[in-house]
Structure formats: structure tokens, C-alpha cells
Amino acid sequence: MSSQKLPTKSLVVAILLAIFLGPIGLFYASVIGALIMLVITAIVGFITFGFGLFIPYISVILWAIIAVNSYNKKIIELAE
């Protein structure tokens, strides 16, 4: 493996993107997570006429936090 250090992702940026952009902001932390949450958000929004969207948005923020922490932990372990 090369001695080049991989950059970590910022937790603050991930949270802010998730808050302001919802599932689209989740692409910074997790592409697969963002695609899943886009579908779930669309379904929930359609079924509840938009009134139930706070539930997926909370999930998006939590997913962003977990994904960034997991990514950073892997990067740190690889660097050691």
C-alpha cells in the first residue's frame, strides 16, 4: 500500500448537508445510503402528502453521522 494518507470526512459538513439538503446531502457520507433514503423519503412524502417527512430527515442526519464515523474509523485503521 502506498504511503499516501487518505483524507477523512468532516462530521460537521455531513450534518449540515443532511440538515439542509436531506437525502441529497447524504451523498457526501454514503452514496448507497443516499439512494436508499431518496426512495424512502419519496415514498413517505407521497403517502403522507409531505406531513411525515420529518421522520426520514431525522434518519438521514443519523445515517450521515454513522456513515462518516464509520468511514473515518476505517481510514484511521488503514493508516496505522
Side-chain angles (χ1 to χ4, degrees):
M1 180 173 226
S2 68
S3 63
Q4 185 179 12
K5 184 179 178 192
L6 297 172
T8 58
K9 293 183 180 182
S10 170
L11 184 60
V12 174
V13 171
I15 293 171
L16 289 175
L17 287 171
I19 289 171
F20 291 113
L21 299 177
I24 295 172
L26 188 56
F27 275 106
Y28 173 76
S30 169
V31 174
I32 294 172
L35 294 173
I36 292 169
M37 289 310 296
L38 276 170
V39 171
I40 291 173
T41 302
I43 292 170
V44 170
F46 181 75
I47 291 172
T48 65
F49 300 106
F51 292 111
L53 288 178
F54 65 91
I55 294 170
Y57 268 75
I58 292 170
S59 301
V60 165
I61 295 167
L62 293 175
W63 196 323
I65 292 168
I66 293 167
V68 167
N69 283 334
S70 175
Y71 175 82
N72 287 343
K73 183 178 177 184
K74 287 179 188 175
I75 295 299
I76 291 169
E77 287 175 357
L78 286 174
E80 293 176 352

